[in-house]
Each structure stands twice: as structure tokens, then as C-alpha cells.
Amino acid sequence: MRTGKPWRPNPGYRHLLVLPICLLLVAPLSVPAQTTGTVEGTVVDQSNAALPGVNVELAGRSLQGTRTAATSASGTFRFPSVPPGAYTITASLPGLGKVQKTATVSLDATATVLLQLALTASAEVTVSGQAPLIDSTSTTTGSSYSAKIIDKLPVGRNYADIVFSQPGAQADFGKTEARSLAISLYGSTSAENLFLIDGIDTTNVMKGVQGKDINNEFVEDVEVKTGGYQAEYGRNTGGVINVITKSGGNEFHGGAFAYYNDTGMRAEPDNGMAANYDTPQYSQTGDSQFYNYIYSKDVRQEWGLDLGGFLWKDRVWFFGAYDRVNNTTNTEIPAGALAGQIADVDTTKNLGALKLTYRMTDNQSLIASFFQDPTTDTGAINDVNHPVNGEPLTYLGRQERGGRNYALRYEGIIGRDWLVSGQVARHDEKNSINPRTAAGDVPEFIDHTAALFQTGGFGLIQDKDLTRDFAGASLTRFLNHHEIKFGAEYEKQTADVVKRMSGGQQVEIFGNSVNPGMPIYRHFYWTTPTATLSDSGGPALSALDVSVEHKNTTLYLQDRWSILPNLSVNGGIRWDRQEIVGADGRVHMDLKNDYAPRVGVIWDPTNEHRQKLFASYGRFYEQLPMDLVIRSYAFERQPRIVNYDPVSTVPDAAAESDFGTSSAILGGATEPTDPDIKGQFVREFIVGWEREVRPNMTLGVKGVQRDYGRVIEDFLCDAVNGIYCIGNPGRGIMTNLFALDYVTQFPAPRARRKFTGVQIDLTKRFSHRWQGLASYLWSKLDGNYDGEVAPYTNVGADPNISAAYDYYDFFTDGMNLGRITNTGPLSNDRRHQFKLSGVYIAPFRLQIGVSTFYRTGTPVNRLGYSDAYGRYEFFLDKRGTQGRTPDTYEMDVHLSYPLQTGKWTINFLMDVFNLFNTQRAVLLDQRWGFAESDNMLATPANPEFGKALLRTPPTSVRFGTRISF
């Protein structure tokens, strides 16, 4: 067992210290994410001979001042650290006149320009078109979306909504906070992505999902990396969503905006169900795991303003914005004595952003960023722990979410060959939920004999304050045909968590088939680290009140080597270390061997930067979210006390006998961890071809394969004392798993999740009034482990401590342990996906944006109930044997018309979502029955089996206006 002593240097780690010291002599320090791009190119004469000493100038609205460079002996030039935007590149040489090209620079991308000068007696400028679309230096797959395009597409007000336009992106059923989206990319789950805004890691600290909400008016550029990225990106096994907010400029720009939509602007939902992920309800069968979604009425009002400009031209720019969102949701109570009554919740968001850009010298900048998303819900909280299914005190509460982000970033170009950048940042999150008044702080009662009708108090009360502090730097050296980059990062995550039950406990009421006159009460609460079932008065009522932390260290080295003008190799190695510190101050897990190699090859057959063949391999390690340290290393102990008394917490043997379940205390002081535990990672292989088939249009074909190499999970390791441990399935202390008989052991299956896909995409850059992206993806996702989210259970994410490996039985039907059934197509498997999005600006100024998709359904299973767990953990047949959910298709449309009045523009906006009102089922009821005895029935005991639990949203309309100058 690990001692948990603090780490101290030892000889085995000296090589890790020597490496960065040596590298600092030849290469500079990198921040966690690129916030800029690069322009590079070559200047030639009429015979295509390189021209040295040519003066090249870069200018654009996103750049403070202009930048100049002289071509090298080989005629090449480079402008690194260029903010995203549109630029003009001008080359001039006495006697050869001038030539100009335009280029659009995207986040972390290279725009390559070929400029040809010719003998001329005039110094007139010749404009010769745009730079090629293809980045012939990169193996990264994904897309970049500028603010000008996002504004014209029918997307939600959350910046991450644009990600669903990306091939390979879909929503899963991961439990996220109301302000964030559940984004699955190339078979990964929504708890496996990395979210970066202005270089700040804004990923949710607790669960690993999207952790920040900013609106589209704040955004300058969104880059979605789906794979093939270099070593500077890590801590994720999914994709990277990289965002840059707007900056100011040498002219003042600003305006105001407002949006409005309500239930009256939405079609009637099919069968009374709406695709509102934020209004879950318990089902009527006594199961909180598969909750139905009910129709709610809401009114959403949003308004804001923004202003950007300069405090000192070409020297100090600013951008500031504020967005206020008010939303009222009315929900009809579905059952019980209050059925038909309306409960409402008022939601208020105060979104804001501020950025200052200071050009210290011609080649050095300092950027300060701030943005926030505090959100408050007051009224009917209506989540899985507080459903609107009872007396008002059980659901009336106040929830506070969101937080603030701060960053200070330095970027400097030293001479011709050095690029230095560094950043310090803080990400704050809060998630607290409390009764609206003190009257709700009394025990809550859930009656299983009356459709889970709730009485008494509010139930779960919690207060979570989570922080991520970051410091990182990078140094890039341009050396002959090499671009060498070294980076070092350190971050500290902290979580201060308080959890308790209102009035100290939550009490469930069950009927008693043995003694019908004596109902059974099961008491749930938190207790002290030393409490036992034999304590006088029962285990003490208490609360979980802990402080825990993570310490994460990263070093990486990467090189982009141009072997030939048309052949490049990108290589790199990344090392991550994660130390997980429990509430006792000890290091309980030290993942110090996470080495992630990356390599890619890019060949341009024509050497014109209009075509490339590429291949890449990479290993990507997960950064464990803090849910594990809070749940496993923080003395979380939860009694389940069974008796005949609604108040007492003393176990009663007679009640336990009637109920068929003993009282127990779940959890322990801290869970033992395999002393040789290794990090969780995904392997990725990509091959692809891209070609500019005509000006401003590219065609691409890509093959992608991603699979798990290793995972981290918890499991029952001591059946006698009910102790769980954490390890790597199939190795070390987790070589075997106990069955539910707590005696028999079986070999632990290795976790398998394999994604194989072939993607064809056609991209049209904005020109001739239109822009578009069309894609088709064939893919297969199979295995026995969904990942950080188990969508089939609809309970959200418990990263690395799910129930998947708790008992061997969960890989079977629970009856025949000799037959593995938990294998086959995984929950996010879709064989075919077609997507199309685009923008067209009509000659009469009407702007039209369209986003549409068609995709096949996901697998349907026959799930069996576990009496011991009170959940659906058994696969009664192999995965996917019950067919698939229906194919789904949608079309969304955006219309806007700008009216010019002097310097002001008034833009009238309308978005129509799900234009054809195709309310297709996306989640079916997969429960075979409601008790373990139902699992062996030939026909389902659940009359709702196979019926829709959730559908795509009905048609809805949103109106808006923007006034800008």
C-alpha cells in the first residue's frame, strides 16, 4: 500500500531535471495553448529563383502597427506570433516593384505565402490573390471558425455550440452544469476534452466537462482540434476547443445586442416530452437513474453591450463586453397531491469580458484577460437530486454556479530566431446549492410507495469552490530548417467541498411485504470517519467538509523539421506528472511516468502548398478530474441505515430482514491505491490527404483510429470489509475482480474502446458571397468501456470511479458469469454522419446561414437491475442486440438583415431551430424490469421498454437585434 509521503527528488528523476536545463541553452519556454498563428513564405523572381534581402511587410486590423522582415539567403521570411485575423503581406525590392497577397491567420495554424516579383518600371502594387487554404506544416485535424462566420450561423448562445458543426462531434448524455454542453469527439466522451480560452484552461475542475460559458459576442476565433496535435497540447483524451476573445483596435467599434425567445415561439413537443437537458424528473417506477424529461415553459431574455478601441494607437488596445441573461422556466408538477401546479425557477447570468493588449515594443506584447460567467438559479431547482415531485420545500432552493478567470500573458520575438511566451492564470468555479429559506433545512422523505413523492426538506446541500492556478512558459527557436519548442507548465488545483443533507439526513420510505403495517425507512447521510454501526444511537449525523488538491507538472519538447521544401516531420515528447493529495495532506496517487510521444509526417507532392499527404501517431494522457480525490481520498462515509423509525439512525435487524438488505456504511477513510498505478491514455493513428481542388475550396479524406491503452478505475478489493481500491484493470492489484457473492474472483477484463473512422470533407473559404463545410463520416466504436461518461445509464460522469469495474458481474447478465455480455458497439457509436453548414450573403444584403445533419442511431441494450446497487448495471444480452435508436436529422436556419444608417448598422436577426420539426427519439428506455428477479423474464416487466425517453427539440424561433458602429 502507498505510504502517501510527499515526493522528494531521487536519483531516478535527475534526468528529468537535466533535460530542461540543457534545452534552455538552445531553445526558449510555452504556454498551455497557442493564442496566435504564423505567416511564412518565400519571395521569388520570374524564374522562381529565391530573392534574398527583399523587404516584406505584414499589416492587418488585428495587429498593432506593422511588422517587417527581410528574406533570408533562401528567399524565405517568417512572422510568428500573429493574432488571428485577415492580413496583407507586401514584398518590395527596388527595380522589381511590389506584390501583395492576403492571408487569413487562424489559431495555431501557419499561412504559407508565395510572392513573385517581376522587373517593372513602376512601383505599382499588384494584388495577386489569397494564400492557399491548406496548412502544409501540420497534421492537426479539425476546423477553425471566425467570429464573422459564427455570427451568421444558427448556433446557440454558448460559444461551444459551434463545435457540433465539426465532423465527428456529437452530444452524449454526460451530466454537465446547465451552462455547458456535452460534446463527444471521435468516440471520446464529454468529460475528456480540453477547453482553452485566451490560453486559460477552463475545463471543469470537478468532472472534466466544459467549465465556462461565454457568449459569441466575446469571441474572435474558435479552433476545434480533433486529433493529430503536437506535444504542447495534453491533459485530455478527446479534443481541444481553443478560443480567443476579441481585442481592441485603432478604431472604436462597439454596439448593443438583445435576444428573445419563449415557449410561444416553440412547436408543441411530441408526447409531452421536450429535449430540455436541464429539466430531469424521476420516473414513476422508483428509479432515479433513468429519469424522464418533461415539457417546461420558459421565457429567455438577453441583452448586452460591447466596446473595443484604443487607449494609445498602435500601443494599448482594449475590449470590454457585458451580457445579461434572464430566464424563467415554469414546470408542471407531474404527480402526487400537487399534480398540475406550476413551479418556476429564475435564472440570472452575468457574463462579462475585458482584455487589454499592450505593445511594449515592436516585437513584445503583454495581454491581460478577464472573463466571467456567474449564474444564479432561484426557485424550483429541478435536477436529479431535487426533482419537482413533491412539496415546495423539497425543491425550492438557490444554486450558484460559474466563476471568474484571470490571465496575464507575455509574447516576445527576439531577433529573427527566438520566440518567448509565458502566462500566469487563474480559473475559479463555484457550485453551491442550498434551500431557499431556512425552513427547508429539515430531513427530506422520499416515498417509494407514492411515485417517489417527496415531503419535508430540501435534501442534498452542497458548496463547492474549485480553483486552478497556472504558470507556464515556452521558448521557440527557429534554427535553419527546424522550429524547436520547449515548454514547462505547473498548475495547482484545489477543491473546498461541503456536502450534507438538510436536517442531517434523507429518508426513503418503502412498503413492507412481510409486515404491511410497518413501513421500512432507509436513512442516508454523511457520518464521521470513525463511526460504526454499533455506535450508541447509530452512526452520527455529520457532513463531508474537505479540502483536497492536485499538483500537475508538464515538460514538453517538439520540433517541426522541414527536411525538404515539401517534406516536413513534426516530432515531440510530452511528460506529465499528476500528484493527487487527499484531505489528510498525503499524496495518494503519483502519476509520474506519463510520457506521450507525438510524431507526424507531411508531404506536399507539388510544393505549392495546395495539397498534402500526412500521417500522425500520438499518445494522449488523461488529467484526472477532482471528482476522484473528493470521493476516494476525503473520508467520505455514507451510512444506509434500515429500520422502522422515520427519525432514528439505529439499525434494526428485524427491518433489515423484512427489507432483505442490511444496514451498511459505504466508503472509508481513503481508498487504497495500487502503488504501481499508471496513467490513463489513448493511442491515436491518423492518415489523410487534402487538396485545394479549386480556388478557395479544399477536399480532404482522413482515416482515424483511436483506442484505449490503459484506464484507471476503482473496484471492490476487500470483500470482508467492503473496501474499494483504485488501480489499472487487468494488472497489478486489479488483476482480478470479486463477484457479487463477495467470494468468487474472476480475471478483470482490460478496458477496450476502439474508434475507427473514415471522413470526407469539403471546405469552402468565404468568397463570392458564400462559405461552407460539408462532411461525411463513417465510423465504428466498440468495446466494453464507454470512457469517462457511461451514456447508457444516463447518470452523467464519475470519471475513473464509475461502477463499471466494481464487480465482475457487471460485465455479464448477472446470472451466467461465464458469459461476457458487456461488449459490442458502445453508447456513442454512430455508423454514418452527414453534416452541412454554410453562409450566403445575398446581393440585397440578406444573410443566410444553414446548419443541417443526418446521422444514424445509437445502440439499444437490454439492461438488468441490480438489487445490491439499486441501479441498472447488467447487460442481459450483448451490447446493441436490441437494435438502434431512430436515425435523426435536423436543419437550422439563420436570417439577418443589416440596415445601414450613417456609421451605425442595425442588424435584425432570426434563428429557426429544427425547421422541419423532426422530433426524433434520441434516448430509448432500456430497462427490462424494476427488480433483479425481472432480469430473467422472457418479456419485459417494464411496459415502457423501447419507448422514447428523450427526443430532439421541437421547432423553436429566436429573435434578436444588434446595433453596432
Side-chain angles (χ1 to χ4, degrees):
M1 183 181 297
R2 177 173 300 280
T3 63
K5 294 180 180 178
W7 177 84
R8 294 180 176 84
N10 63 65
Y13 294 98
R14 287 176 182 166
H15 66 285
L16 296 176
L17 302 177
V18 173
L19 175 63
I21 293 171
C22 294
L23 288 170
L24 284 172
L25 300 178
V26 296
L29 286 176
S30 186
V31 288
Q34 288 287 346
T35 60
T36 59
T38 300
V39 176
E40 61 181 33
T42 306
V43 182
V44 298
D45 63 15
Q46 284 177 302
S47 64
N48 288 323
L51 288 174
V54 177
N55 183 67
V56 184
E57 181 180 271
L58 179 74
R61 291 180 59 179
S62 301
L63 190 67
Q64 292 174 308
T66 60
R67 292 191 191 170
T68 59
T71 58
S72 66
S74 59
T76 60
F77 64 90
R78 178 187 291 109
F79 294 104
S81 194
V82 177
Y87 291 90
T88 301
I89 303 99
T90 306
S92 62
L93 191 69
L96 295 179
K98 294 182 180 180
V99 65
Q100 245 181 26
K101 277 195 176 180
T102 59
T104 300
V105 177
S106 300
L107 270 175
D108 196 22
T110 299
T112 305
V113 182
L114 178 66
L115 299 169
Q116 189 174 55
L117 290 171
L119 283 170
T120 177
S122 169
E124 291 183 1
V125 173
T126 301
V127 178
S128 54
Q130 288 188 304
L133 270 171
I134 292 174
D135 182 354
S136 59
T137 69
S138 173
T139 61
T140 300
T141 58
S143 303
S144 189
Y145 304 86
S146 69
K148 291 182 179 179
I149 295 301
I150 295 173
D151 287 347
K152 297 175 179 61
L153 285 172
V155 295
R157 298 291 295 150
N158 184 322
Y159 78 91
D161 201 64
I162 190 65
V163 178
F164 291 117
S165 298
Q166 175 64 36
Q170 62 178 335
D172 66 17
F173 296 106
K175 186 177 184 298
T176 65
E177 294 180 4
R179 70 190 196 284
S180 60
L181 304 177
I183 300 170
S184 166
L185 288 167
Y186 282 165
S188 67
T189 65
S190 55
E192 300 176 47
N193 301 311
L194 177 66
F195 294 86
L196 301 160
I197 303 178
D198 284 349
I200 307 170
D201 185 352
T202 63
T203 310
N204 181 270
V205 176
M206 181 84 173
K207 297 284 191 176
V209 296
Q210 180 191 352
K212 181 61 57 176
D213 180 13
I214 61 173
N215 78 12
N216 295 333
E217 273 76 20
F218 300 176
V219 172
E220 181 66 34
D221 204 270
V222 177
E223 180 200 23
V224 184
K225 295 178 184 288
T226 56
Y229 38 90
Q230 290 213 64
E232 61 188 294
Y233 294 94
R235 304 196 185 106
N236 67 299
T237 53
V240 177
I241 293 88
N242 190 12
V243 181
I244 293 298
T245 61
K246 291 180 179 178
S247 301
N250 281 333
E251 297 178 358
F252 289 98
H253 295 277
F257 53 88
Y259 293 88
Y260 179 85
N261 60 277
D262 63 29
T263 307
M265 300 155 65
R266 182 173 62 188
E268 288 295 318
D270 189 4
N271 295 328
M273 290 181 295
N276 185 343
Y277 283 71
D278 302 330
T279 57
Q281 286 291 338
Y282 284 102
S283 71
Q284 300 304 301
T285 60
D287 170 36
S288 63
Q289 189 174 16
F290 280 83
Y291 38 76
N292 293 320
Y293 292 83
I294 66 171
Y295 181 53
S296 58
K297 298 181 179 180
D298 60 84
V299 176
R300 190 179 193 273
Q301 301 173 346
E302 180 177 1
W303 59 269
L305 47 86
D306 56 73
L307 178 66
F310 65 91
L311 300 176
W312 183 1
K313 271 194 174 182
D314 285 334
R315 189 66 67 180
V316 182
W317 288 355
F318 75 90
F319 174 80
Y322 173 76
D323 183 11
R324 173 68 174 247
V325 183
N326 294 317
N327 191 72
T328 299
T329 302
N330 299 315
T331 302
E332 183 177 310
I333 299 175
L338 303 178
Q341 294 189 19
I342 300 298
D344 64 88
V345 60
D346 294 317
T347 300
T348 302
K349 294 183 183 180
N350 289 293
L351 308 178
L354 177 64
K355 181 185 280 188
L356 294 174
T357 306
Y358 171 37
R359 182 188 179 202
M360 303 164 64
T361 67
D362 287 349
N363 292 316
Q364 297 185 78
S365 296
L366 201 61
I367 304 106
S369 294
F370 165 81
F371 45 90
Q372 67 168 26
D373 66 339
T375 303
T376 302
D377 297 331
T378 305
I381 297 303
N382 198 18
D383 62 18
V384 68
N385 294 304
H386 310 91
V388 179
N389 184 28
E391 295 176 346
L393 288 181
T394 65
Y395 57 77
L396 292 180
R398 177 182 175 87
Q399 183 170 18
E400 296 181 72
R401 294 163 290 163
R404 294 169 174 80
N405 290 75
Y406 313 83
L408 184 65
R409 184 184 186 99
Y410 166 80
E411 295 177 349
I413 303 170
I414 302 173
R416 288 172 52 94
D417 301 325
W418 298 87
L419 174 62
V420 182
S421 57
Q423 180 163 303
V424 292
R426 163 167 282 198
H427 169 75
D428 283 333
E429 292 179 36
K430 184 177 182 64
N431 190 340
S432 68
I433 186 165
N434 291 276
R436 192 167 68 175
T437 67
D441 196 358
V442 295
E444 181 183 49
F445 295 86
I446 303 175
D447 194 344
H448 286 253
T449 67
L452 296 176
F453 190 78
Q454 301 182 22
T455 58
F458 187 65
L460 177 65
I461 297 173
Q462 63 181 4
D463 193 354
K464 302 175 187 174
D465 289 298
L466 305 113
T467 301
R468 179 188 291 116
D469 289 315
F470 172 88
S474 73
L475 187 61
T476 304
R477 174 72 188 275
F478 302 102
L479 183 65
N480 296 325
H481 301 293
H482 295 269
E483 181 182 321
I484 303 169
K485 188 172 188 177
F486 169 70
E489 303 169 0
Y490 177 79
E491 69 176 29
K492 181 178 179 180
Q493 299 176 343
T494 58
D496 297 311
V497 177
V498 177
K499 290 183 180 180
R500 68 180 181 89
M501 288 297 173
S502 61
Q505 61 176 310
Q506 183 183 71
V507 185
E508 296 173 278
I509 306 171
F510 297 89
N512 188 341
S513 59
V514 179
N515 295 296
M518 300 183 68
I520 293 171
Y521 297 89
R522 183 166 65 181
H523 306 256
F524 170 79
Y525 55 97
W526 277 270
T527 191
T528 63
T530 59
T532 68
L533 293 174
S534 60
D535 289 348
S536 176
L541 300 177
S542 186
L544 180 71
D545 188 352
V546 297
S547 296
V548 290
E549 64 183 33
H550 284 179
K551 298 176 182 178
N552 305 314
T553 308
T554 298
L555 301 174
Y556 64 84
L557 175 66
Q558 63 189 41
D559 181 18
R560 191 186 80 181
W561 178 21
S562 299
I563 300 175
L564 298 171
N566 64 339
L567 179 64
S568 298
V569 174
N570 295 337
I573 182 73
R574 180 184 179 95
W575 173 74
D576 286 292
R577 181 183 187 185
Q578 185 169 23
E579 299 170 269
I580 297 179
V581 183
D584 56 0
R586 298 190 312 149
V587 177
H588 288 265
M589 190 184 301
D590 190 355
L591 301 173
K592 57 197 174 198
N593 294 309
D594 292 355
Y595 293 94
R598 314 279 173 85
V599 62
V601 180
I602 311 103
W603 178 45
D604 178 0
T606 63
N607 197 24
E608 295 177 349
H609 306 290
R610 299 185 185 278
Q611 183 176 192
K612 70 177 180 180
L613 292 163
F614 62 95
S616 70
Y617 165 78
R619 178 179 284 195
F620 303 88
Y621 278 90
E622 174 205 24
Q623 177 177 282
L624 275 66
M626 296 198 76
D627 186 47
L628 181 145
V629 67
I630 295 168
R631 299 284 310 278
S632 302
Y633 302 136
F635 305 97
E636 183 173 23
R637 305 183 73 228
Q638 300 169 317
R640 296 319 198 255
I641 304 300
V642 177
N643 58 29
Y644 297 125
D645 194 303
V647 178
S648 170
T649 58
V650 177
D652 188 308
E656 293 171 353
S657 176
D658 289 352
F659 193 49
T661 302
S662 298
S663 299
I665 299 178
L666 304 182
T670 57
E671 292 187 6
T673 302
D674 190 333
D676 193 34
I677 194 169
K678 299 293 192 299
Q680 177 165 313
F681 71 89
V682 162
R683 294 175 293 241
E684 176 190 83
F685 298 88
I686 297 177
V687 294
W689 169 80
E690 289 182 17
R691 179 180 176 85
E692 190 170 326
V693 292
R694 57 179 299 175
N696 299 308
M697 183 177 291
T698 63
L699 174 66
V701 180
K702 304 172 183 70
V704 181
Q705 186 176 98
R706 310 186 79 192
D707 70 318
Y708 266 130
R710 186 170 53 233
V711 305
I712 292 174
E713 269 291 353
D714 68 339
F715 68 109
L716 181 72
C717 58
D718 183 344
V720 175
N721 298 299
I723 295 175
Y724 284 73
C725 296
I726 298 175
N728 299 126
R731 66 183 301 271
I733 68 170
M734 206 171 173
T735 301
N736 296 314
L737 297 179
F738 277 104
L740 277 166
D741 63 7
Y742 301 100
V743 176
T744 312
Q745 293 192 57
F746 295 86
R750 292 289 183 101
R752 293 187 302 104
R753 184 184 73 187
K754 185 176 182 179
F755 174 90
T756 304
V758 178
Q759 176 181 311
I760 302 172
D761 48 65
L762 188 66
T763 303
K764 167 67 167 56
R765 178 166 55 190
F766 188 83
S767 63
H768 301 96
R769 297 185 174 273
W770 71 282
Q771 171 270 346
L773 171 62
S775 67
Y776 164 71
L777 174 66
W778 173 89
S779 63
K780 182 180 180 181
L781 179 68
D782 60 10
N784 61 10
Y785 185 76
D786 279 298
E788 302 308 280
V789 176
Y792 67 88
T793 61
N794 204 23
V795 295
D798 255 331
N800 307 104
I801 50 172
S802 72
Y805 276 89
D806 286 5
Y807 298 92
Y808 181 81
D809 308 56
F810 297 162
F811 287 91
T812 74
D813 61 7
M815 297 169 283
N816 179 9
L817 301 191
R819 177 173 176 258
I820 296 291
T821 52
N822 182 3
T823 184
L826 296 174
S827 302
N828 287 324
D829 177 55
R830 293 185 189 274
R831 294 301 164 90
H832 304 280
Q833 296 187 62
F834 300 85
K835 291 186 179 181
L836 174 65
S837 62
V839 170
Y840 173 69
I841 300 179
F844 49 91
R845 293 189 295 177
L846 179 67
Q847 300 173 355
I848 305 169
V850 175
S851 181
T852 185
F853 70 81
Y854 173 88
R855 59 195 181 201
T856 52
T858 55
V860 177
N861 305 301
R862 196 163 65 96
L863 298 178
Y865 190 79
S866 167
D867 288 344
Y869 257 53
R871 300 194 335 196
Y872 293 84
E873 300 293 347
F874 302 125
F875 286 83
L876 302 183
D877 296 305
K878 286 196 173 184
R879 286 176 177 259
T881 55
Q882 298 299 307
R884 289 180 176 263
T885 61
D887 298 352
T888 56
Y889 54 94
E890 279 188 34
M891 176 179 285
D892 303 330
V893 177
H894 170 89
L895 300 174
S896 59
Y897 186 83
L899 182 64
Q900 196 75 35
T901 57
K903 292 183 178 181
W904 293 85
T905 299
I906 304 175
N907 213 339
F908 300 97
L909 315 168
M910 182 176 74
D911 293 281
V912 182
F913 300 102
N914 195 1
L915 178 67
F916 300 119
N917 199 26
T918 56
Q919 299 182 46
R920 310 280 285 181
V922 294
L923 179 66
L924 303 183
D925 194 335
Q926 301 178 53
R927 301 167 298 167
W928 193 248
F930 309 119
E932 198 160 332
S933 59
D934 296 337
N935 296 346
M936 61 186 71
L937 297 177
T939 56
N942 174 19
E944 303 299 313
F945 180 81
K947 296 182 180 179
L949 286 174
L950 181 65
R951 296 180 183 271
T952 51
T955 300
S956 62
V957 179
R958 181 181 68 202
F959 290 106
T961 185
R962 294 180 191 150
I963 304 173
S964 58
F965 65 92

